[in-house]
Amino acid sequence: MLFYAVFVILPVLFTGALALSSGVRPGLSDMTFAGADNFASLFSDGSSFLFPVLTNTLLYAVGTTVLTTVGGLVAALCLARLPGQGLWRTLYFLPVVTNLVATGNAWKHLYQPDGPLNALLNTLGMDSVGFLQNPATALPSVMIVQSWASLGSAVLILSAGLTTVPRDCLEAAELDGAGPLTILIRITIPLLRPALLFVSITQLLAGLQSFALITVMTENGGPGDTTNVAALEMYRRAFTYGDWGTASAAAFVLLLITLTLALAQLRLFEREGKDT
Amino acid sequence: MTHHRRAPLLPWLITTIGALVMTLPFTDMFLTSLKDPGDYAHLPYRFLPSAFAFANYRDAADELDLATLARTSILTALTVTVSVLCTSSLAGYALAKLRFPGRALLFRFVLATMMLPPFLLLIPHFLILAHWPLAGGNDLYGNGGAGLTTGITALVLPFTVSAFGIFLMRQFITTIPDEILEAARLDGAGELTLWWRIVLPQTTPALITLALLTFTIAWNEYIWPLLISTANPCLMTLPVGMQLLQGHLDPQRTTPLLMAALVISALPVLALFLLLQRHYVRGITEIVEL
C-alpha cells in the first residue's frame, strides 16, 4: 500500500513543486531575489509584452474559439441530418490526430504567394493575398488553421450533445409551425448549452496557451511581432535569450489570465446547474 | 419512419464543402509530394502532378535521414506509452481499490494537476533535468554539467506520468468487483500480483484507448523535443526534424521532398486512428464527461 501511495504522491508532488518554482524562482542554484523587477520590465515603456504580444494572445484565443465553436455547431447540425455520420466525423477529425508540423506546413504551402489558394483566388478573378507575409493577414491566417485543426473535437462533442436533445421537443415545435431557424435558436441551442460552453471554454484556454502552430507557420511570430503571443514570448525569452526571470514572469502573467478565465468558467457552469 | 423528411440539400452542401476544406491541406500535401521540380515550378499553380514522382519519398528519406529521426520518434513514443500505461494503471488501482488515509484528497490532487497549463511546466521541467544531481557531469547539488538533457531520457521523463491516464484507469478499475480481489488476496496473492493477474486483464479496452491516445500525443509532440534537440541534435524526433531540416534541402526540390517527408511523419498515427477509431472516440468522451 505504501508502495502505491509513494508511486502516486511522488510524481504529483514533483509536478506541484515545479509549478510553484516557475513563477517565483527562475533558477535552481545561482538565483537572486529580484522582487517585482521582472514584472516591471515586462510592462515598462518600450516593452512589446502588453502590445502587441498580450493583445495578440487574446485576439488569437477569442478568434479561434468563435471560429471553432460556430464552425463546429454548423457542422454538427448538418451532420445530424445526413446518413454516414461516422465517415463525415472521421474526415473532420483527421487534423486532430495529425501533427502540427505536418498540418502547419501543409497550410503554409496552401498560403504561398504562388500557391494553391492564390491560384484559386486568381481564377475567381481576385488579387493574390500575402496570407502569412502581410502583417494584417498573418494572425488571422494562423487562427484559421488553429480552428481547422481543433474543429474535429468540437464536432464530436457537439454531435454527442445533439443526440441528447429530445426528439419530441423538436417535433412538437414543428407541429406548432415553428421554422427551422426558430427551432434552432429557441430549442436546440439552449439545450446544447452545456456542450457549447464546454467546447468554447476549452478552446479559449487552449488558445491562450498555444504557440506551437505559430512557431511552425511564421518563424517565431513574424512578420515583426504581428503573430507573437505570450507563450511564445515566454519560450523565446527563456530558451533563446536565457532570460529565465522575465520568461517566468511572462508565464506567471499568462497563468493569472488563464486562471481568471477558468474561474469565470466554473461560475458559468455553476449558474448553469442552478438554472436547470 | 412515418414522418417524411425533406431532402436535406443545404446540410449536404455545407458538409461537403466543409469536408473539402478539412481534407484539402492533406490532399494538396500528398499531391505536391508527387511532383518533380519542373512540375512544381509550373505557373499558375497546378493541383495535380503531371507524372507521379514516387522517387521523392526515397530521396526525402535519404536526404533528411528519416530513418534516424523515425527511430528516435518510435523509441520515445513507445517508451512514453509503456510507462504511462504502467504508472496510470498502478496509480489508478491504488486510488480505486486500496484504502489509505488521504485517498480522496490525493485523487482530487491528481485531477487538479490536469488543469496545469503545459507551457508553465516547460521552464521548471527543463531546469530540473539540467540540474539533475550526479547525472551528465553534475555534482551532488546538480551543478556543473548538462544533467539529463542530453539523453533520450530527456525526451521521455516529463511524460512518464499522465493525470488523465490515472483518472481514466481509476474509473475503469472501480468497476472491477471487490469480491474477485478479496478471493485472490485470501489465496495469498500480493498487490502486485493482483494488479498483473486481475486488474490488467480486466481493463484491456481502457488500456488500448489510453495507449493509442498517449502514443498519438507523444508522436506529435513538438515543443518539448524541439527544446531538447536544440541542445542536442541527435535527439531530434520526426516532427522537429521536418521543421528544422527544411533549410538543408536544395530549394528547387525542397517543397515536394518536404511534403513527402511530412506524409511519412503523419502516416503512423493516421493509420492507427483509421484502424482503431472507436478506441479514440471513447477516450475523448471520457475527457468530456470529466
Side-chain angles (χ1 to χ4, degrees):
Chain A
M1 240 185 261
L2 186 73
F3 170 81
Y4 293 112
V6 170
F7 212 99
V8 192
I9 294 172
L10 253 184
V12 170
L13 278 185
F14 184 69
T15 327
L18 289 180
L20 287 175
S21 63
S22 86
V24 209
R25 293 182 299 159
L28 285 186
S29 51
D30 42 49
M31 49 162 204
T32 49
F33 186 71
D37 287 3
N38 289 327
F39 290 94
S41 85
L42 271 187
F43 290 103
S44 65
D45 290 343
S47 158
S48 62
F49 190 66
L50 196 58
F51 183 86
V53 177
L54 268 189
T55 331
N56 283 346
T57 313
L58 291 176
L59 270 177
Y60 190 79
V62 173
T64 51
T65 303
V66 172
L67 276 175
T68 313
T69 314
V70 174
L73 180 62
V74 172
L77 284 171
C78 293
L79 285 188
R81 285 172 180 74
L82 299 182
Q85 284 189 44
L87 178 71
W88 293 114
R89 247 181 264 153
T90 306
L91 282 181
Y92 280 77
F93 206 74
L94 285 180
V96 181
V97 294
T98 312
N99 65 69
L100 280 181
V101 173
T103 54
N105 278 294
W107 273 92
K108 212 165 134 184
H109 182 248
L110 287 180
Y111 280 151
Q112 291 292 310
D114 290 332
L117 278 189
N118 274 322
L120 210 65
L121 286 181
N122 294 340
T123 339
L124 298 173
M126 286 183 266
D127 286 336
S128 297
V129 180
F131 292 100
L132 294 170
Q133 286 74 29
N134 183 341
T137 51
L139 192 65
S141 301
V142 185
M143 277 159 55
I144 289 174
V145 184
Q146 175 92 37
S147 315
W148 169 86
S150 40
L151 194 75
S153 331
V155 171
L156 199 69
I157 295 162
L158 292 171
S159 298
L162 273 179
T163 57
T164 65
V165 174
R167 240 218 161 83
D168 333 352
C169 268
L170 301 179
E171 278 169 6
E174 225 166 285
L175 285 179
D176 286 347
L181 200 66
T182 325
I183 295 183
L184 177 68
I185 295 172
R186 289 286 176 81
I187 299 173
T188 315
I189 288 186
L191 285 173
L192 262 186
R193 233 160 94 186
L196 280 172
L197 263 180
F198 179 86
V199 169
S200 52
I201 298 287
T202 45
Q203 289 299 329
L204 189 67
L205 296 183
L208 283 170
Q209 300 167 19
S210 51
F211 68 108
L213 187 66
I214 296 177
T215 59
V216 166
M217 293 190 69
T218 71
E219 332 260 320
N220 287 324
D225 253 342
T226 46
T227 57
N228 198 358
V229 290
L232 175 57
E233 179 72 9
M234 177 216 80
Y235 182 88
R236 284 165 71 192
R237 279 174 190 265
F239 301 110
T240 313
Y241 310 123
D243 184 355
W244 303 100
T246 59
S248 302
F252 199 72
V253 172
L254 186 53
L255 176 69
L256 274 184
I257 299 176
T258 315
L259 279 182
T260 315
L261 286 168
L263 281 179
Q265 158 205 14
L266 275 180
R267 279 282 164 77
L268 266 170
F269 272 121
E270 269 168 17
R271 245 209 356 242
E272 197 71 21
K274 277 173 201 153
D275 281 353
T276 45
Chain B
M1 260 208 315
T2 48
H3 185 66
H4 177 70
R5 292 170 72 93
R6 257 181 313 145
L9 184 65
L10 191 66
W12 263 116
L13 200 67
I14 297 179
T15 311
T16 314
I17 294 175
L20 271 177
V21 175
M22 296 315 284
T23 46
L24 177 70
F26 292 107
T27 324
D28 178 60
M29 177 165 79
F30 181 63
L31 292 175
T32 308
S33 76
L34 295 173
K35 291 175 183 167
D36 63 39
D39 200 3
Y40 180 65
H42 184 275
L43 280 177
Y45 189 84
R46 273 195 312 218
F47 281 94
L48 293 173
S50 53
F52 296 114
F54 285 108
N56 283 345
Y57 281 82
R58 197 193 53 223
D59 294 350
D62 288 347
E63 289 188 35
L64 291 173
D65 199 9
L66 288 188
T68 313
L69 297 175
R71 205 177 306 132
T72 314
S73 268
I74 292 171
L75 188 63
T76 308
L78 281 183
T79 318
V80 168
T81 307
V82 170
S83 63
V84 163
L85 288 186
C86 287
T87 55
S88 300
S89 59
L90 276 172
Y93 174 48
L95 287 170
K97 290 296 180 194
L98 301 180
R99 316 263 157 241
F100 54 88
R103 186 175 72 141
L105 189 71
L106 196 62
F107 181 55
R108 248 177 256 150
F109 197 48
V110 171
L111 287 184
T113 58
M114 285 175 71
M115 312 295 167
L116 277 179
F119 74 88
L120 192 71
L121 299 172
L122 277 178
I123 296 178
H125 274 166
F126 187 80
L127 288 176
I128 291 237
L129 284 180
H131 292 280
W132 200 276
L134 300 177
N138 278 351
D139 59 21
L140 190 59
Y141 301 101
N143 290 317
L148 288 178
T149 54
T150 54
I152 192 120
T153 28
L155 291 174
V156 173
L157 212 54
F159 301 103
T160 45
V161 178
S162 144
F164 169 69
I166 295 178
F167 167 79
L168 185 76
M169 291 318 296
R170 181 197 169 268
Q171 299 308 88
F172 276 86
I173 294 170
T174 311
T175 62
I176 300 176
D178 282 330
E179 291 76 27
I180 303 182
L181 296 169
E182 279 310 321
R185 277 198 194 105
L186 285 179
D187 290 344
E191 297 298 334
L192 268 180
T193 321
L194 288 182
W195 171 72
W196 182 255
R197 287 288 179 78
I198 298 172
V199 175
L200 284 189
Q202 293 271 342
T203 51
T204 318
L207 288 170
I208 294 174
T209 297
L210 184 58
L212 285 174
L213 289 177
T214 312
F215 186 86
T216 304
I217 292 168
W219 183 273
N220 290 339
E221 176 65 30
Y222 176 61
I223 294 296
W224 181 257
L226 173 73
L227 181 57
I228 292 301
S229 62
T230 37
N232 190 349
C234 336
L235 293 178
M236 263 185 217
T237 57
L238 264 177
V240 178
M242 299 299 89
Q243 191 62 24
L244 295 183
L245 294 173
Q246 290 181 37
H248 293 237
L249 291 166
D250 169 14
Q252 273 297 306
R253 307 174 57 214
T254 306
T255 310
L257 285 197
L258 177 68
M259 293 296 155
L262 291 173
V263 171
I264 296 176
S265 83
L267 268 184
V269 287
L270 277 183
L272 276 181
F273 170 68
L274 290 175
L275 283 173
L276 302 160
Q277 314 191 23
R278 63 195 174 90
H279 295 282
Y280 278 87
V281 172
R282 181 171 42 209
I284 311 273
T285 352
E286 275 304 317
I287 298 177
V288 179
E289 280 162 7
L290 210 63

